[in-house]
Amino acid sequence: MNIPDKSQLKAIRHGEGPMLVLAGPGSGKTFVVTKRVENLINEYKVSPGKILVITFTRTAAGEMRDRFLTMNPDCRGVTFGTFHAVFFMILKNAYGYTAENIIREDERFFIMKNLIRQLKLEYEDENDFIGNIFSEISLIKNTGIELSNYYSTSCGTDEFRRLYVGYDKALRRTNKIDFDDMLTFTYELFDMRKDILAMWQRKFEYILIDEFQDVNKVQYDIALMLAGKRANLFMVGDDDQSIYRFRGADPKIMLNIKDDFKNLKTVNLSVNYRCPENITDVAMQLISQNSARYEKDIISRNQGGRVVRRLFEDQWKESDFIIKKLREYEDDGIDLNNVAVLFRVNTGCRLIAEKFTEYNITFQMRDSFPSIYDHWMAKDIFAYMDIAHGSRKREDFLLIINRPKRYISRESLEYSEVAFDVWQAFYSEQPWIEKRIEDLQKDLKFIKKLSPFAAVNYIRKSVGYDEFIKEYATFRHINKDELFDTLDELTESAKPFDTYEKWLEHIVEFKDIQKKNKEMNPNTDGVSLLTFHSAKGLEFEKVFIIDMNEDVIPYKKAVLPEDIEEERRMLYVGMTRAISELYLLSAKKIHGKEADDSQFLYEMDMA
C-alpha cells in the first residue's frame, strides 16, 4: 500500500490535538501510523525525539520501527515501544531500575508455590492453579480494582487476598517488580511527582497509540497524564476487535472517549484491503448485532471470495473434511503456510492436532500445545487402566484408592509394589474396607477385558469416578461441567482404538509431536492452529473456523450481554483473517454429546 485513500490521508495529515482513527480489519492502520509520523517530521517539522509510538507487542513495535526506518532512514530518534517497555524506561530513569529488578517467571512461581503451601490450599494441577491466581492478580493491577472489592474465582476470597498481599510483600522485600507493577508504579510516580511528569511531557509531545481498543484503565490514565494539556493523542484501533477484557482491557474507554476530549476528531478507515466482498459482508452482518460499538460502513476493495458453511455428524468428520481440503490444496500447489484452523480456546485444537499427527500434516501453533493426556484426571484414568493391565506400582494405586472415596489410607500401601492379599490383610479387622479392596480388584479384572472406550466409561459410571468429580467440584467451588467436558473429550479420544496398547502407542507418538512443537521455531512451515486471540493481526488465504456450536462459540462462560458481545467480536476477528476462503464448520456432536449450532450462525443466516 503506497498511495493512501481519502480517509487514510485525512488521518496521516492530522496535526495538533486528539484524533481517534477507527481502523477495521485490513484497513492499513500500520501504514497510517508510520506515514503520520513521517508527516509530523517532514510537514510539521516535529523533532523525531518528540514522538512516541506505543503498541502492545514487542514484535509489532519492532515491525513498525523497521517499516518506518525503511521509508525514512534519516529520521532516527522516534521512540517505538510497548506500554511496558516505555513505562520501564520511565521507572529506570526515576528509580535506577535495571533488568535485574524484573522478577523472572520461575521466581514468581516459587513465591506463589510457597504461599500456597503456607495456606495449605488444595489443588490438582499446580501450573493451572498458580496461573489462574496470577491472572487475577494481573487483572486487579491493570484495572485499579480495590483488593477488598475483588472476589476470586480460583479459591476462597480470604485465601486469595492473603496470596495477593503475600506475593506483593515478597516483591517489595526483594526489590523486584513484575510487568503489571510497571504500569501501577508509573501511574503512582506521575501522580506524586508532577516535576517528573512535566519532564516526560516535554520529551514526548506527540503520542500515537496502536491497537487502542486493547488499553486498560491504568494504561489510558497514564497516556492522558503524558499527553497533558496539549492532548496530542493519536489513537488507532477498532472497537469491533476489542477481545482482551479478561486482561483488563476496557472497550468502554474507546466508546466513551468523546467525554474526555470535547475537540476530538474522528476518522473511519472504511476500506478493507484484506478480505473480499463476500467475507466482509458476512462478517459485518455478524458484528452489526452488537449494540456497544461505533457504526461503520466497511467496504471491500476486492470482489468475490468464498464463505462455505458445513455441518458434520461429529468432530471426527469435521476433522476429516479439513484434512481432505488440505490434501486438495497440496495437489493444487497451495502453500499450507497460507492456511489456518481457528478455534475459541486453546483446548479446542486437541482433536485436530491429533488427526494432523496421524496423517503427517505439518502444523504450527503460537499457543502452548495442549495435551489432554497430561491432565490430572487423565492420569487418574490411566492409573486405573495401568493397574488393570498388570501394574502394581504404589504410585498408581495412590492416585485412585480414594477416587471415588473408599476410606483407604495411604499407610495401608506399605511397599513400592502392591500385593492385593497383603493389602487386604492390613484391613483384616475392618472387613468393610477389606470388601472395598476386593470390589476394586473385581472392577480392575473386568476393565482389562474392555476396549479403551468401554473401559473409560466403566471407570466413570460403574466404578464411580464421575461421582468423585462432582464431589471434588463442590468442595473446590468450581464448575463441574468444565471437568466433565475434559473427561468427555478423553473418553472420545479412546474411541478409535480397540486395545489399550494401541491407545498408548498413539499417546506416546502424540506427546513426541507435542515436544517437537515446543522446540519448533515459530516460523516453522505448516498449517497454523490458532485461537482467535492468537490469530489477531494475522492473515491467511484459507481459514477454517471449527466447532461453531453453542457453549463453544460463544463460550459457555459467556452469560451477560457484554460477554456475548465480546464473543461476537472474537468470531469477527477470526473471520476477518481470511483473504480468499472462509469455512464455518460445526458438528451435531461435541465430545460425544448432542450440540446445537452457534447462535452466531443464525445471526449471519448461515445455520
Side-chain angles (χ1 to χ4, degrees):
M1 185 183 299
N2 296 314
I3 303 175
D5 60 37
K6 289 182 180 179
S7 296
Q8 291 174 335
L9 201 58
K10 184 177 179 183
I12 290 167
R13 289 177 173 172
H14 176 70
E16 300 286 320
M19 172 172 274
L20 176 65
V21 180
L22 298 173
S27 61
K29 66 181 181 63
T30 302
F31 171 75
V32 166
V33 171
T34 51
K35 293 297 285 185
R36 198 242 170 177
V37 173
E38 178 185 301
N39 197 65
L40 283 173
I41 295 169
N42 294 335
E43 299 300 323
Y44 289 92
K45 307 306 178 186
V46 176
S47 168
K50 296 282 187 183
I51 302 171
L52 171 64
V53 181
I54 306 177
T55 190
F56 276 81
T57 68
R58 191 184 307 172
T59 301
E63 288 175 354
M64 202 171 282
R65 180 191 301 109
D66 292 344
R67 185 182 295 196
F68 174 75
L69 291 175
T70 299
M71 295 189 301
N72 306 276
D74 298 327
C75 292
R76 298 185 179 274
V78 178
T79 300
F80 292 86
T82 63
F83 275 105
H84 289 100
V86 172
F87 295 163
F88 186 68
M89 174 179 67
I90 292 168
L91 294 175
K92 183 178 179 180
N93 184 276
Y95 302 129
Y97 282 147
T98 69
E100 291 296 314
N101 294 104
I102 303 174
I103 191 166
R104 300 193 314 270
E105 277 303 304
D106 61 319
E107 293 176 318
R108 297 177 80 214
F109 192 92
F110 182 76
I111 290 170
M112 189 56 66
K113 190 173 180 178
N114 283 337
L115 289 169
I116 289 168
R117 282 178 178 170
Q118 289 170 23
L119 294 178
K120 298 180 180 178
L121 297 180
E122 293 187 18
Y123 55 81
E124 292 296 338
D125 189 311
E126 182 176 68
N127 290 331
D128 190 47
F129 182 68
I130 291 178
N132 289 338
I133 294 294
F134 276 132
S135 292
E136 293 194 68
I137 290 174
S138 182
L139 184 65
I140 290 172
K141 290 184 178 182
N142 281 287
T143 56
I145 299 173
E146 288 290 334
L147 181 60
S148 58
N149 294 332
Y150 183 80
Y151 296 90
S152 174
T153 58
S154 299
C155 61
T157 300
D158 288 341
E159 287 83 358
F160 175 78
R161 289 172 184 169
R162 289 178 188 175
L163 291 175
Y164 184 100
V165 171
Y167 171 66
D168 195 59
K169 284 182 177 178
L171 289 178
R172 304 294 83 81
R173 190 167 55 246
T174 56
N175 196 29
K176 298 279 188 177
I177 61 172
D178 63 20
F179 282 96
D180 299 312
D181 289 332
M182 293 180 192
L183 277 62
T184 55
F185 282 23
T186 302
Y187 178 85
E188 291 168 1
L189 174 67
F190 282 174
D191 186 52
M192 293 185 295
R193 293 290 303 271
K194 301 305 179 187
D195 55 329
I196 292 177
L197 171 60
M199 179 188 75
W200 287 104
Q201 287 173 336
R202 290 191 296 272
K203 165 68 176 169
F204 296 126
E205 295 184 1
Y206 294 83
I207 303 168
L208 298 85
I209 303 177
D210 186 26
E211 303 287 6
F212 184 70
Q213 75 279 351
D214 295 331
V215 298
N216 61 47
K217 186 178 186 301
V218 178
Q219 290 166 337
Y220 180 60
D221 286 345
I222 296 171
L224 288 180
M225 288 174 161
L226 266 177
K229 292 181 180 179
R230 289 194 190 91
N232 284 330
L233 271 177
F234 187 80
M235 300 156 285
V236 183
D238 182 9
D239 55 303
D240 289 333
Q241 296 187 71
S242 179
I243 60 172
Y244 290 106
R245 235 168 19 115
F246 70 95
R247 288 186 191 166
D250 187 354
K252 292 177 183 176
I253 291 173
M254 190 167 184
L255 293 172
N256 299 331
I257 197 151
K258 289 183 180 178
D259 296 340
D260 293 322
F261 299 103
K262 302 303 180 186
N263 60 334
L264 180 74
K265 293 181 180 178
T266 303
V267 174
N268 182 11
L269 304 184
S270 58
V271 180
N272 185 337
Y273 290 91
R274 176 192 303 140
C275 305
E277 187 176 45
N278 289 344
I279 295 173
T280 299
D281 290 348
V282 174
M284 289 307 298
Q285 189 172 340
L286 170 75
I287 201 63
S288 63
Q289 304 294 322
N290 276 3
S291 58
R293 64 184 292 267
Y294 287 102
E295 287 295 325
K296 307 176 192 72
D297 185 18
I298 305 294
I299 59 173
S300 174
R301 191 177 183 185
N302 306 318
Q303 300 301 306
R306 292 182 67 210
V307 180
V308 180
R309 160 80 181 111
R310 292 294 299 270
L311 172 65
F312 301 93
E313 285 299 316
D314 54 34
Q315 292 167 292
W316 300 98
K317 294 286 191 297
E318 182 183 58
S319 298
D320 289 341
F321 171 77
I322 294 173
I323 290 167
K324 181 172 177 269
K325 294 300 296 183
L326 294 177
R327 293 302 189 215
E328 291 176 6
Y329 294 154
E330 287 180 317
D331 292 341
D332 293 339
I334 296 173
D335 189 346
L336 295 190
N337 288 341
N338 292 323
V339 182
V341 178
L342 308 185
F343 34 88
R344 170 61 180 85
V345 294
N346 67 343
T347 55
C349 72
R350 283 170 175 160
L351 176 59
I352 195 78
E354 291 197 42
K355 294 287 280 186
F356 282 7
T357 301
E358 182 183 344
Y359 284 87
N360 293 315
I361 293 174
T362 307
F363 61 92
Q364 55 180 311
M365 299 183 65
R366 284 197 170 189
D367 302 281
S368 58
F369 195 121
S371 172
I372 195 171
Y373 307 120
D374 292 329
H375 197 282
W376 63 267
M377 290 187 296
K379 292 175 182 176
D380 288 351
I381 297 296
F382 292 143
Y384 269 108
M385 301 279 279
D386 286 341
I387 295 169
H389 286 82
S391 170
R392 292 297 178 263
K393 294 178 181 177
R394 181 175 184 266
E395 58 261 35
D396 287 340
F397 281 82
L398 288 174
L399 281 176
I400 58 97
I401 54 174
N402 287 307
R403 298 183 176 186
K405 194 72 176 173
R406 298 183 179 94
Y407 299 96
I408 298 174
S409 72
R410 296 173 64 91
E411 288 71 26
S412 68
L413 298 169
E414 300 177 273
Y415 307 105
S416 60
E417 294 287 315
V418 176
F420 273 94
D421 55 347
V422 175
W423 194 16
Q424 286 177 278
F426 184 90
Y427 285 107
S428 59
E429 296 182 7
Q430 293 173 281
W432 59 282
I433 296 184
E434 190 177 3
K435 175 67 166 56
R436 291 189 175 185
I437 295 174
E438 183 182 330
D439 290 342
L440 172 62
Q441 190 173 17
K442 288 177 182 177
D443 282 330
L444 292 167
K445 286 179 180 177
F446 188 69
I447 290 168
K448 185 178 180 179
K449 301 175 184 177
L450 301 175
S451 69
F453 179 69
V456 176
N457 274 307
Y458 186 84
I459 293 165
R460 293 181 59 183
K461 309 300 181 186
S462 299
V463 176
Y465 192 79
D466 278 7
E467 287 303 312
F468 157 71
I469 291 300
K470 288 178 185 176
E471 292 173 7
Y472 173 81
T474 301
F475 174 71
R476 281 288 313 277
H477 304 291
I478 57 179
N479 189 340
K480 68 178 185 300
D481 292 339
E482 291 185 30
L483 296 176
F484 281 122
D485 282 348
T486 299
L487 274 175
D488 290 342
E489 191 176 349
L490 179 68
T491 307
E492 279 290 294
S493 73
K495 192 177 280 187
F497 307 97
D498 54 10
T499 68
Y500 185 46
E501 289 72 21
K502 288 181 181 177
W503 193 23
L504 287 180
E505 285 174 12
H506 167 77
I507 292 168
V508 169
E509 181 183 357
F510 181 68
K511 286 190 173 184
D512 185 51
I513 296 291
Q514 178 189 23
K515 182 181 177 183
K516 288 178 182 176
N517 190 275
K518 284 182 178 178
E519 296 168 355
M520 278 182 184
N521 185 298
N523 298 318
T524 302
D525 290 346
V527 180
S528 292
L529 302 184
L530 300 164
T531 62
F532 294 148
H533 289 101
S534 294
K536 191 166 178 289
L538 304 177
E539 60 184 31
F540 304 90
E541 287 290 333
K542 322 284 186 183
V543 170
F544 296 86
I545 298 180
I546 61 173
D547 300 339
M548 288 201 58
N549 294 86
E550 283 296 294
D551 293 334
V552 182
I553 303 171
Y555 197 49
K556 70 185 79 176
K557 289 184 178 180
V559 178
L560 301 174
E562 55 264 37
D563 298 332
I564 296 296
E565 294 216 348
E566 177 135 327
E567 294 290 317
R568 200 176 278 117
R569 292 194 295 268
M570 277 185 256
L571 177 56
Y572 175 74
V573 166
M575 293 172 66
T576 53
R577 301 308 95 196
I579 297 173
S580 63
E581 288 184 352
L582 172 65
Y583 291 86
L584 304 176
L585 312 180
S586 65
K588 293 180 182 178
K589 287 186 177 181
I590 299 289
H591 307 320
K593 292 184 177 179
E594 298 293 330
D596 295 324
D597 279 339
S598 167
Q599 61 182 280
F600 297 155
L601 288 169
Y602 290 93
E603 293 173 0
M604 295 182 285
D605 298 324
M606 300 290 285

